[in-house]
Amino acid sequence: MSEPHPVKLYIYDLSNGLAALLSPNLLQKRVEGIWHTSIVVYGEEFFFGGTGISRCIPGETQLRQPLKIEDLGTTEVPQEVFEDYLHSLGQQEFAPGTYKLLSHNCNNFSDELSNFLTGRSIPKYILDLPSEVLGTPWGQSILPFLENLGSSININTRSGDLTQAVKTAQKFNHQGAENIHSRLDMANSNGNGASELVEETAEAAEKPLAQVMEEMEAEEKLEREERKKNREPPIVFKNLVDVRGEFDDLVSIIDSKLTTDEMQSLEELHQYMLEDEGSWALGEGFLNFIGKLLNDGTIPSEARVHLLNVLGAAALKDDVILLLHQDRRDHVLMNYAHDIERLPVPEQESLALVICNLFENISSSEWLLYISEWSYNNQMISNIRATTKVAVNCLLSDVETLQDRGSAIIHNLACKEVKTVVFDDVAVELTMALLQFFNGSPKEEYIFRCMKALARFCQISHQDVPQLIQMIGPPPTKFNGTSARVDEQIALVQKKLK
């Protein structure tokens, strides 16, 4: 039996006391703090924010020492088991980009770890805070702001910095708390109450908060653009789908077959794709709706084609990762993808479009390469395995559209910077598919994509891939003279064969 390890809950108040001061007037009830929590175990502090799961020496976040420490008990879970569990959470349920201030936050993460380690939840007053705030008219009025703010919250222990929002709040607390106390005293003494003060405080805070949001959005946009600029451009298919036409065709087929909840999900898809709303428009049951359309045999195949084409356009959106992370438990999309060889060709084409276009954004492309496994049809699969299967199936098809999209997916896989041992096996599998594809007479565009991928695979798996090329063939020099860019990639491969 493993030695018991103490499990602690670190509790911080992000408002530095301001919530307790202002909440009676803003919410008509007292809220003691805006709680951020973390779990301390095995000598480290673990917490969740906008960039996913982080860890540090206990008490060394920018928040410094916690306001309170709760003793959650002890755990006999071995540390290596905990690390595997934490890694799985970090790739799926609590991956980067899944943070939501009100529904999927640091406190939900702490509760998850606490239950895993000790079998008990964290205090109810911490978990109930969002519903307490949203149960008030003022809470409902600021809901859109809170949701936007939540997507940006992160505690960066490496740089010793907090998000601009938290820093602004703390600055406001330190500089203005004394003034607020005096204003409240004056308001109460002259009988006018605090309503006027609350109004003025809200008006005064409105401009800097809006400014903070603009600065954060601008900073995030610049960071995304910088990361895109510095990576190998993926091959994606933009402007290929008439979203409105595909959506209307989908509705015409399934409209009479849907329940009330499913009609709501269809409307959410309309808001996301045709009204340009954010992924926040997609409810918790949206992936159940997608799962029904993909797997219900009574629904015509044409409906799945239209749906997948719409999702292929959605794959290009910056926030599609939030939709993907809804699928972290049921794996609706990747289970369907893993069965690609059983699908009608039009469904295969549309599915390949979705997979290929998901490489447009860094977060969704990383999602395609997740290695955490689950059981499906009595075998263990993962996102990377399903993605690889789609790529191979499409590349080796006799259908040119599938070859086009399959060669693009393999190109994108090869150009993606992957630092995992699992990808060595993937590189070998894809190399065998490429060599089989090279036995034919493909188009120059496909040859270039595939030869470029082969050159990258030679770098990733520098022993196995060159050996396969020499043993199986055909030699890359078969395509000498196809074009200057193909010749350049052939030369890179040949260097690895010597």
Side-chain angles (χ1 to χ4, degrees):
M1 183 176 294
S2 300
E3 178 185 351
H5 297 275
V7 182
K8 307 286 186 182
L9 180 72
Y10 276 30
I11 305 172
Y12 303 87
D13 176 15
L14 292 179
S15 76
N16 280 352
L18 192 61
L21 177 65
L22 293 182
S23 58
N25 297 299
L26 292 174
L27 305 178
Q28 285 74 56
K29 63 170 65 177
R30 184 178 178 84
V31 173
E32 294 296 333
I34 304 299
W35 307 121
H36 164 79
T37 62
S38 58
I39 294 290
V40 174
V41 66
Y42 310 112
E44 290 188 278
E45 182 173 359
F46 301 89
F47 53 93
F48 174 60
T51 58
I53 298 172
S54 298
R55 64 173 75 195
C56 68
I57 297 172
E60 289 201 359
T61 70
Q62 182 70 12
L63 297 175
R64 299 177 183 173
Q65 292 303 310
L67 179 67
K68 292 186 285 187
I69 298 177
E70 291 267 354
D71 186 356
L72 297 176
T74 61
T75 183
E76 294 183 354
V77 174
Q79 186 171 356
E80 58 271 20
V81 173
F82 171 76
E83 291 289 351
D84 288 343
Y85 174 71
L86 193 70
H87 176 75
S88 176
L89 290 181
Q91 289 201 321
Q92 298 185 59
E93 188 170 357
F94 292 95
T98 61
Y99 184 98
K100 291 186 178 180
L101 181 65
L102 301 175
S103 59
H104 193 64
N105 56 37
C106 57
N107 302 322
N108 302 118
F109 173 71
S110 295
D111 191 54
E112 178 81 24
L113 289 194
S114 180
N115 275 286
F116 176 76
L117 292 167
T118 70
R120 57 181 290 194
S121 291
I122 68 173
K124 191 171 183 291
Y125 75 87
I126 295 175
L127 294 173
D128 286 349
L129 178 62
S131 60
E132 283 187 34
V133 174
L134 293 180
T136 66
W138 187 77
Q140 285 294 318
S141 71
I142 64 167
L143 176 59
F145 169 76
L146 291 177
E147 289 285 14
N148 287 332
L149 178 63
S151 67
S152 301
I153 285 185
N154 174 44
I155 300 178
N156 189 335
T157 58
R158 291 185 179 180
S159 64
D161 197 12
L162 289 175
T163 60
Q164 188 67 36
V166 175
K167 286 193 290 188
T168 299
Q170 291 181 332
K171 181 179 179 182
F172 177 71
N173 294 347
H174 292 309
Q175 294 180 352
E178 184 177 346
N179 181 53
I180 291 171
H181 277 292
S182 63
R183 289 294 310 282
L184 278 172
D185 290 341
M186 290 174 61
N188 290 328
S189 65
N190 64 25
N192 292 333
S195 59
E196 183 179 345
L197 170 62
V198 171
E199 254 180 54
E200 293 178 8
T201 303
E203 290 174 1
E206 184 176 354
K207 183 176 180 181
L209 284 174
Q211 183 178 346
V212 166
M213 290 303 299
E214 289 176 4
E215 290 175 355
M216 285 195 297
E217 290 172 2
E219 185 176 342
E220 286 180 356
K221 184 178 180 181
L222 285 173
E223 183 179 349
R224 288 196 302 267
E225 291 174 351
E226 187 68 20
R227 292 180 70 189
K228 280 187 178 182
K229 184 175 66 176
N230 292 333
R231 69 169 178 153
E232 187 81 25
I235 297 172
V236 295
F237 298 91
K238 298 180 179 180
N239 305 317
L240 188 65
V241 174
D242 173 10
V243 178
R244 184 169 297 278
E246 296 287 349
F247 184 86
D248 289 346
D249 289 341
L250 171 64
V251 172
S252 67
I253 296 173
I254 66 172
D255 192 32
S256 61
K257 304 177 185 294
L258 302 182
T259 65
T260 302
D261 288 343
E262 290 163 352
M263 286 295 294
Q264 175 60 38
S265 295
L266 187 63
E267 173 58 25
E268 290 167 1
L269 181 61
H270 183 276
Q271 291 174 4
Y272 184 47
M273 294 305 302
L274 295 175
E275 298 179 19
D276 205 26
E277 299 284 0
S279 59
W280 57 265
L282 305 177
E284 292 184 3
F286 182 75
L287 257 297
N288 295 331
F289 166 67
I290 296 298
K292 174 181 178 177
L293 296 188
L294 293 181
N295 297 301
D296 189 340
T298 65
I299 295 177
S301 176
E302 292 84 358
R304 284 184 279 279
V305 172
H306 296 311
L307 172 66
L308 289 166
N309 285 338
V310 173
L311 294 179
L316 298 169
K317 285 176 167 277
D318 287 344
D319 63 351
V320 70
I321 186 63
L322 301 180
L323 166 60
L324 298 176
H325 282 305
Q326 284 191 19
D327 205 19
R328 59 187 176 270
R329 290 181 177 166
D330 295 332
H331 309 288
V332 168
L333 297 174
M334 281 316 206
N335 287 343
Y336 176 79
H338 195 261
D339 287 337
I340 184 169
E341 76 278 5
R342 303 177 187 176
L343 305 177
V345 168
E347 288 186 43
Q348 293 186 34
E349 292 174 337
S350 298
L351 171 62
L353 175 68
V354 175
I355 299 297
C356 193
N357 282 357
L358 284 173
F359 281 94
E360 169 69 3
N361 294 293
I362 293 172
S363 57
S364 53
S365 64
E366 290 174 346
W367 180 86
L368 289 171
L369 274 62
Y370 284 176
I371 63 174
S372 295
E373 295 183 327
W374 66 90
S375 178
Y376 176 66
N377 286 343
N378 298 318
Q379 58 183 313
M380 299 304 294
I381 67 172
S382 61
N383 284 12
I384 180 61
R385 291 295 176 191
T387 302
T388 300
K389 188 174 182 183
V390 171
V392 170
N393 183 86
C394 293
L395 184 71
L396 299 182
S397 170
D398 294 331
V399 179
E400 184 174 335
T401 302
L402 288 175
Q403 291 181 1
D404 184 17
R405 295 172 188 180
S407 62
I409 294 171
I410 290 182
H411 167 277
N412 294 343
L413 280 168
C415 294
K416 178 74 181 166
E417 291 186 11
V418 181
K419 299 177 180 177
T420 168
V421 175
V422 173
F423 201 74
D424 286 346
D425 295 337
V426 172
V428 169
E429 182 177 348
L430 292 174
T431 294
M432 294 179 69
L434 290 172
L435 295 175
Q436 185 175 342
F437 181 66
F438 284 155
N439 282 318
S441 301
K443 287 184 173 182
E444 187 277 342
E445 177 65 32
Y446 307 161
I447 295 173
F448 169 69
R449 296 174 186 173
C450 292
M451 197 64 70
K452 183 176 178 182
L454 194 62
R456 295 297 293 267
F457 293 150
C458 284
Q459 297 173 359
I460 293 169
S461 184
H462 59 275
Q463 291 185 337
D464 292 343
V465 169
Q467 287 178 1
L468 277 175
I469 296 172
Q470 292 173 323
M471 289 172 56
I472 299 176
T477 51
K478 167 186 175 179
F479 297 105
N480 271 344
T482 301
S483 68
R485 63 177 185 167
V486 169
D487 288 348
E488 181 181 352
Q489 298 303 318
I490 292 174
L492 293 175
V493 175
Q494 289 297 113
K495 286 182 180 179
K496 298 294 182 180
L497 301 184
K498 295 179 181 178

